[in-house]
């Protein structure tokens, strides 16, 4: 297993894996397949371009196939730069149960600890995603709130719900 920060040249393989995840688990991500399938490779390359405040970490198998991804984005406001958010952890179905998600998260955390002034990592997980919840808990993440109707693909009854 090879873990590394993705580069702009990885845009095509990243986009392919990202779209797979969005199709397979539409409820697990903040974005949608319909939105991201329209992204050009140039847009994707810009999205995954690493800098001091953001990176996409990729896991590659022995054949150099991208089999897992996770993203870290630091808050940009001067009052919140001590925090960063973890997004989009995804491992291909055939590679699950092999510790790849754990390895990606451990590497992300190790890199985050080296970011000057960064004190806190936040993430969001769907309440029904028990395997992700167990993984994050095993790494020391603590539940600090539950947001009702935090994300919705389509209204269940065709009407907006308030309250």
């Amino acid at each position: 297993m090879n873990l590394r920060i993705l580069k702009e040249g990885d845009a095509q393989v990243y986009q392919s894996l990202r779209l797979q995840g969005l199709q397979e688990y539409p409820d697990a991500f903040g974005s949608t397949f319909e939105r991201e399938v329209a992204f050009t490779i140039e847009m994707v390359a810009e999205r995954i371009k690493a800098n001091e405040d953001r990176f996409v970490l990729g896991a590659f198998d022995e054949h150099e196939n991208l089999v897992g991804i996770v993203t870290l984005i630091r808050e940009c406001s001067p009052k919140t730069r001590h925090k960063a958010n973890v997004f989009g952890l995804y491992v291909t179905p055939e590679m699950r149960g092999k510790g790849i998600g754990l390895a990606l998260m451990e590497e992300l955390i190790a890199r985050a600890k080296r970011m000057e002034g960064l004190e806190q990592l936040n993430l969001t997980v769907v309440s029904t995603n028990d395997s992700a919840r167990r993984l994050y808990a095993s790494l020391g993440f603590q539940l600090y709130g539950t947001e009702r109707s935090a994300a919705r693909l389509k209204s269940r009854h065709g009407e907006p719900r308030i309250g």
Side-chain angles (χ1 to χ4, degrees):
M1 184 64 46
N2 176 30
L3 302 179
R4 68 170 171 82
I5 300 293
L6 298 186
K7 300 177 181 132
E8 294 164 84
D10 296 310
Q12 187 70 54
V13 293
Y14 168 83
Q15 180 68 341
S16 178
L17 190 62
R18 174 81 174 150
L19 291 174
Q20 178 182 335
L22 290 170
Q23 278 189 305
E24 187 178 357
Y25 295 105
D27 292 342
F29 300 98
S31 189
T32 66
F33 175 84
E34 293 75 18
R35 175 178 178 258
E36 293 196 21
V37 74
F39 290 175
T40 66
I41 290 302
E42 293 78 20
M43 290 169 67
V44 174
E46 189 60 34
R47 281 184 87 194
I48 68 171
K49 186 177 180 180
N51 64 36
E52 65 183 18
D53 292 331
R54 67 179 295 139
F55 60 84
V56 178
L57 190 59
F60 293 83
D61 68 12
E62 65 275 3
H63 304 292
E64 287 303 305
N65 296 311
L66 183 63
V67 296
I69 50 177
V70 66
T71 300
L72 179 137
I73 302 175
R74 189 176 193 159
E75 295 282 339
C76 57
S77 168
K79 290 185 176 183
T80 58
R81 281 193 54 74
H82 64 286
K83 298 188 288 185
N85 295 289
V86 178
F87 297 104
L89 176 63
Y90 178 75
V91 175
T92 61
E94 61 274 6
M95 298 302 283
R96 291 187 193 137
K98 298 180 180 190
I100 295 171
L102 176 62
L104 281 165
M105 287 300 298
E106 287 176 337
E107 181 67 17
L108 180 142
I109 291 167
R111 288 175 182 269
K113 285 180 178 180
R114 295 191 298 266
M115 296 172 76
E116 187 176 335
L118 187 62
E119 300 173 7
Q120 183 176 323
L121 291 179
N122 293 324
L123 56 81
T124 301
V125 63
V126 176
S127 61
T128 57
N129 191 340
D130 292 331
S131 61
R133 290 174 61 161
R134 281 191 304 274
L135 171 65
Y136 299 139
S138 77
L139 291 162
F141 285 88
Q142 298 175 343
L143 178 66
Y144 70 89
T146 302
E147 183 180 1
R148 270 185 51 225
S149 300
R152 182 176 300 156
L153 287 174
K154 294 179 185 172
S155 174
R156 293 176 194 233
H157 305 289
E159 299 290 324
R161 180 173 169 208
I162 300 175

